């Protein structure tokens, strides 16, 4: 975990980084809690009237002292899930992604007539990587099957069916023998 400590430093921002490293053995779908990163911070501030606030005893009337204590205890909750098949991983990923998009939409500020917030972050739709342009879907290639003329059509009460096998093998039949020309 890292955070910005100070932005007023002329040399640049100061960041604090806290890290936790541990090895645990956990069963599938069981929760483990990693903790122990405790931070205790004490801040003293004095707001005063210049010069008069520095006078002993009398200066206390022209000075406002504040003390703030912040205690932070970082705890990490992990719930490992063993995924044995790719379909299970895709399902879990889709569920989490839908949850994140829902939370993002819930945090979106209400629209305003006179000002819209252009800085509202938006996750890309599922399946599109950030920074990549979506590729347009290619239409499926049209396949045609030659019509086989009937030599002696006879009227019947049932409509003709198109269940006759084609004389030309389809592109998916790569192991099919070539047509012999015999009926």
């Amino acid at each position: 975990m890292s955070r910005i400590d100070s932005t007023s430093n002329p040399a640049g921002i100061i960041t604090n980084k806290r890290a936790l490293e541990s090895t645990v053995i956990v069963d599938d779908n069981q929760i483990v809690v990693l903790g122990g990163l405790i931070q205790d911070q004490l801040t003293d501030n004095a707001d005063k009237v210049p010069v008069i606030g520095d006078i002993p005893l009398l200066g206390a009337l022209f000075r406002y002292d504040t003390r703030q204590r912040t205690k932070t205890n970082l705890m990490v909750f992990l719930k490992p899930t063993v995924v044995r098949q790719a379909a299970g991983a895709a399902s879990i990923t889709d569920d989490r992604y839908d949850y994140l998009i829902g939370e993002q939409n819930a945090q979106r500020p209400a629209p305003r007539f006179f000002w819209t917030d252009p800085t509202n972050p938006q996750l890309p739709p599922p399946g599109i990587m950030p920074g990549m342009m979506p590729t347009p879907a290619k239409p499926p290639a049209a396949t045609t099957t030659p019509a086989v003329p009937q030599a002696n059509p006879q009227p019947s009460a049932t409509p003709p069916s198109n269940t006759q096998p084609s004389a030309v093998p389809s592109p998916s039949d790569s192991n099919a023998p070539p047509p012999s020309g015999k009926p």
Side-chain angles (χ1 to χ4, degrees):
M1 181 178 123
S2 61
R3 68 178 180 91
I4 296 175
D5 188 35
S6 173
T7 58
S8 61
N9 189 353
I13 62 171
I14 298 173
T15 58
N16 289 337
K17 180 180 177 184
R18 301 192 301 161
L20 175 69
E21 185 175 325
S22 182
T23 303
V24 295
I25 297 174
V26 183
D27 288 331
D28 188 21
N29 284 322
Q30 297 298 312
I31 296 175
V32 63
V33 180
L34 305 176
L37 289 178
I38 299 173
Q39 178 182 7
D40 202 3
Q41 184 177 5
L42 184 63
T43 306
D44 286 331
N45 277 339
D47 295 328
K48 61 184 177 181
V49 175
V51 181
I52 300 174
D54 293 331
I55 300 173
L57 299 173
L58 183 63
L61 298 173
F62 300 95
R63 183 176 55 234
Y64 179 70
D65 295 327
T66 58
R67 288 189 177 164
Q68 180 180 4
R69 181 178 182 190
T70 306
K71 187 172 184 176
T72 306
N73 188 358
L74 178 66
M75 299 174 71
V76 180
F77 293 81
L78 297 176
K79 182 181 178 186
T81 301
V82 177
V83 180
R84 291 178 172 77
Q85 296 176 352
S91 173
I92 291 172
T93 301
D94 289 343
D95 290 345
R96 299 286 189 233
Y97 200 79
D98 290 342
Y99 170 77
L100 288 175
I101 289 176
E103 287 296 313
Q104 186 179 48
N105 290 336
Q107 296 295 325
R108 180 176 293 149
R112 298 179 186 167
F113 174 71
F114 58 91
W115 179 63
T116 58
D117 188 7
T119 61
N120 186 24
Q122 183 64 40
L123 287 173
I128 296 177
M129 296 295 293
M132 307 262 322
M133 293 297 294
T135 56
K138 294 180 181 178
T143 58
T144 58
T145 56
V148 179
Q150 292 182 352
N152 197 1
Q154 297 182 8
S156 66
T158 59
S161 66
N162 292 334
T163 58
Q164 292 182 341
S166 171
V168 178
S170 67
S172 62
D173 294 338
S174 60
N175 296 332
S180 62
K182 295 180 183 178

